[in-house]
Amino acid sequence: MINQLNNNAISHTGHCAQQDTEPHFFENSAFFKNGENVYIQLSTEFPEFVGIEHKHQFVEIVYILSGSAVHTVGGREYHVKCGDITIINSGVTHKFTSDINSDENFVTYDLMFSPDFFGAGDIEMGEFEALKNNFLFHSLFPMDAGSQPDMHISGGGYSDYGEIFTRIYHEYNRKERGFIQIIRAYIIELIIKLFRNIEQTEEIVLPPDKLDSITSAAKYIEGNYTSKLSIDDIASRAFLSPDYFRKLFKKVTGSSVTSFQQKLRIDEACRLLSTTDVPIKDICVSIGYNDMAAFYQIFKKITGKTPNEYRKNQ
């Protein structure tokens, strides 16, 4: 794929230019023409902002075509390399600083589009439904842009990402009949594949506020552990899909959502058994169980004793 680039692209050094005090702000009109709401370029075609802090009105998906760099965004830095994808939300100040020690020049595909590039029909596609409560969805279709600055996805093993970007790039530059519709289809393909990989891999660097959202979700469960909680509801509070929320919750807390809630309930049951004479059936109901058999089963699984045995040993 690198060999397909022209000589000007390969000769780009990617060195940083002098940085302005205030980051440059790009409005949609800086790139989008004729009402297209989408644009793609090679970084070599606009080198003056490589290494310069800037922000933009649109969403940007950057594919690292060659070389490596440091991406500075939201007060933090992380390393990006060939094959990686970074999604930058609108209004977020960031910059890529190329790695001068890399054997390859730093070259990227920069794909830009506004949320209204997709119509309601595109978003309501059955395969697209799963994205509605996912962080990636909210990055691409901002509802709370300030809390989701970017996402970095390691591209190791996903060479088809680059192929999709190349197809988008060629369609945009050829501008043949129906090219916008084809580009829209390619971007939807890209987003769905990104989402699939999010569900399957740990190689994702999430902003600190996403980890904070898991902590907040845990606190929410702690405050409502006696209630019947919906995973969908809790996950939506964290702006994550239910499946990915379960995975990330276990990674952060060390337990599943169900086990976390059960532990809270049984801990309270143990406290009541130790410090009060409240009947066991009333304790069962007070901590959120309507089924005594289920309560006894879970209590013994966690404590190794039945509620009666536990109370007698106190």
Side-chain angles (χ1 to χ4, degrees):
M1 180 169 56
I2 300 295
N3 293 332
Q4 297 174 1
L5 301 178
N6 59 39
N7 291 332
N8 290 334
I10 297 300
S11 66
H12 174 60
T13 63
H15 291 310
C16 298
Q18 184 64 35
Q19 184 170 308
D20 295 330
T21 302
E22 292 294 327
H24 189 89
F25 179 74
F26 292 103
E27 296 185 358
N28 289 347
S29 58
F31 293 97
F32 304 150
K33 307 300 179 184
N34 303 317
E36 291 172 354
N37 287 356
V38 65
Y39 179 81
I40 187 170
Q41 66 179 18
L42 289 167
S43 59
T44 50
E45 297 167 350
F46 200 34
E48 53 265 43
F49 282 96
V50 175
I52 297 299
E53 282 193 334
H54 62 280
K55 55 186 177 179
H56 35 70
Q57 191 176 7
F58 43 82
V59 176
E60 181 179 19
I61 306 182
V62 176
Y63 176 79
I64 315 303
L65 192 56
S66 69
S68 60
V70 172
H71 189 208
T72 304
V73 58
R76 67 190 176 93
E77 295 182 346
Y78 56 82
H79 188 263
V80 294
K81 62 186 184 303
C82 179
D84 287 4
I85 289 180
T86 296
I87 304 168
I88 305 104
N89 215 339
S90 58
V92 175
T93 300
H94 70 110
K95 69 174 179 178
F96 289 96
T97 304
S98 60
D99 182 358
I100 60 175
N101 296 316
S102 174
D103 294 332
E104 293 183 315
N105 296 319
F106 180 61
V107 182
T108 67
Y109 276 127
D110 304 326
L111 173 62
M112 315 162 201
F113 57 90
S114 60
D116 58 4
F117 178 62
F118 296 95
D122 299 316
I123 296 174
E124 293 301 324
M125 291 172 56
E127 293 167 306
F128 221 60
E129 286 291 314
L131 292 175
K132 284 190 173 181
N133 292 321
N134 185 266
F135 166 68
L136 177 59
F137 178 88
H138 286 281
S139 289
L140 297 177
F141 306 94
M143 293 177 65
D144 184 15
S147 67
Q148 300 136 58
D150 79 314
M151 174 180 278
H152 169 225
I153 301 173
S154 176
Y158 305 122
S159 60
D160 53 343
Y161 285 159
E163 294 172 3
I164 295 173
F165 276 89
T166 297
R167 293 201 300 267
I168 294 171
Y169 182 78
H170 289 330
E171 280 293 334
Y172 187 82
N173 283 284
R174 289 169 182 163
K175 292 189 180 339
E176 296 177 349
R177 176 186 289 271
F179 77 99
I180 289 293
Q181 287 73 22
I182 291 178
I183 288 174
R184 184 178 290 111
Y186 285 155
I187 296 177
I188 291 174
E189 178 186 358
L190 173 66
I191 293 170
I192 291 173
K193 287 185 174 180
L194 286 171
F195 178 72
R196 287 176 181 171
N197 292 335
I198 285 171
E199 296 292 333
Q200 297 169 0
T201 182
E202 298 288 341
E203 298 300 321
I204 299 170
V205 178
L206 287 171
D209 67 290
K210 287 294 103 183
L211 296 180
D212 290 344
S213 70
I214 298 299
T215 302
S216 296
K219 290 180 179 178
Y220 175 77
I221 296 171
E222 288 173 353
N224 299 274
Y225 68 89
T226 62
S227 303
K228 185 176 180 180
L229 300 177
S230 163
I231 294 294
D232 288 353
D233 178 60
I234 302 171
S236 67
R237 292 170 178 269
F239 300 107
L240 296 165
S241 71
D243 286 344
Y244 190 56
F245 172 78
R246 289 187 186 97
K247 185 175 183 179
L248 191 58
F249 188 89
K250 187 167 185 178
K251 182 178 179 180
V252 173
T253 67
S255 66
S256 68
V257 175
T258 299
S259 295
F260 188 82
Q261 184 180 25
Q262 287 177 347
K263 181 66 165 53
L264 290 169
R265 287 178 169 182
I266 300 306
D267 283 350
E268 176 62 9
C270 289
R271 187 189 71 80
L272 293 171
L273 288 168
S274 300
T275 61
T276 73
D277 295 323
V278 175
I280 292 175
K281 65 178 181 179
D282 293 338
I283 291 176
C284 172
V285 173
S286 71
I287 63 173
Y289 289 108
N290 295 319
D291 185 336
M292 282 284 287
F295 168 61
Y296 268 75
Q297 182 181 23
I298 294 168
F299 190 96
K300 187 166 186 178
K301 178 182 177 182
I302 292 176
T303 68
K305 301 182 178 79
T306 67
N308 285 313
E309 292 170 342
Y310 187 90
R311 174 168 270 172
K312 289 177 181 179
N313 291 333
Q314 299 307 304

